[in-house]
Amino acid sequence: MKIDSPDILHKSDAGGVLLGIKNLRQAESAYKKILQNAKKYKKDAKINGVLMVEMAREGVEVILGSTRDPRFGPVCMFGLGGIFVEVLQDVTFRLAPMWQSSAKHMIQSIKAYRVLKGIRGKPASDIKAAQLSILRLSALVSNHPEIRSWTSTP
């Protein structure tokens, strides 16, 4: 379960994420705790509610993003997501629209590429899905100039 608030970007930092909810009683308790934590973290936060979502399987979190440069137009970003984007700042940028080879090169050019390929017994990430996500984002921001910026952690 996690807080749904546009004012709380880092939900885990705010105590706005609770995992392993197995029954109704735990869900009710988690709901109250998440709301309490969110209000404590940011008193004036707009809270839309609490989301109950299926937990993603273990893997490597990535980040996709885009911004619109006034001179060059849409620029796409790819890198490791979650806490790693802040700590390692291991991201790469390319102009959109782009070819499949550009998306592949984006993925291969981050320092943590070996992590995505699978390391120390961990399975490889779905690199083709990441490549497809980059290409779709590239097409989206290229075809919709009204999109000024975009960030996603698929």
Side-chain angles (χ1 to χ4, degrees):
M1 294 177 72
K2 66 181 177 180
I3 193 73
D4 180 11
S5 171
D7 298 325
I8 301 175
L9 299 179
H10 302 288
K11 292 161 179 37
S12 294
D13 292 351
V17 177
L18 291 177
L19 306 174
I21 311 301
K22 294 185 178 15
N23 57 48
L24 180 61
R25 187 172 52 203
Q26 288 178 353
E28 289 170 343
S29 175
Y31 176 85
K32 291 174 189 171
K33 184 70 174 166
I34 288 170
L35 289 177
Q36 183 181 52
N37 291 345
K39 285 296 184 187
K40 188 174 167 184
Y41 181 79
K42 187 165 185 180
K43 192 180 210 178
D44 61 341
K46 178 182 184 227
I47 297 176
N48 297 326
V50 175
L51 301 174
M52 175 74 84
V53 294
E54 185 176 350
M55 196 165 132
R57 59 179 164 67
E58 186 179 341
V60 179
E61 191 174 351
V62 297
I63 186 168
L64 288 173
S66 177
T67 189
R68 188 164 298 276
D69 183 270
R71 179 172 279 165
F72 298 108
V75 179
C76 292
M77 173 196 65
F78 173 81
L80 285 188
I83 60 169
F84 299 109
V85 73
E86 293 175 34
V87 175
L88 302 177
Q89 298 178 353
D90 186 14
V91 296
T92 185
F93 296 88
R94 294 286 183 282
L95 293 174
M98 67 179 81
W99 298 95
Q100 191 170 359
S101 58
S102 296
K104 184 177 180 180
H105 183 70
M106 283 183 84
I107 295 166
Q108 292 173 340
S109 69
I110 64 171
K111 294 176 199 131
Y113 177 60
R114 286 184 42 208
V115 174
L116 295 174
K117 286 185 64 174
I119 192 167
R120 292 195 173 180
K122 297 284 185 182
S125 299
D126 191 345
I127 293 172
K128 287 193 184 287
Q131 189 174 337
L132 183 59
S133 295
I134 292 168
L135 290 170
R136 287 181 174 166
L137 176 62
S138 170
L140 178 70
V141 298
S142 294
N143 293 320
H144 292 278
E146 66 273 18
I147 299 173
R148 295 280 174 231
S149 68
W150 179 287
T151 305
S152 175
T153 52

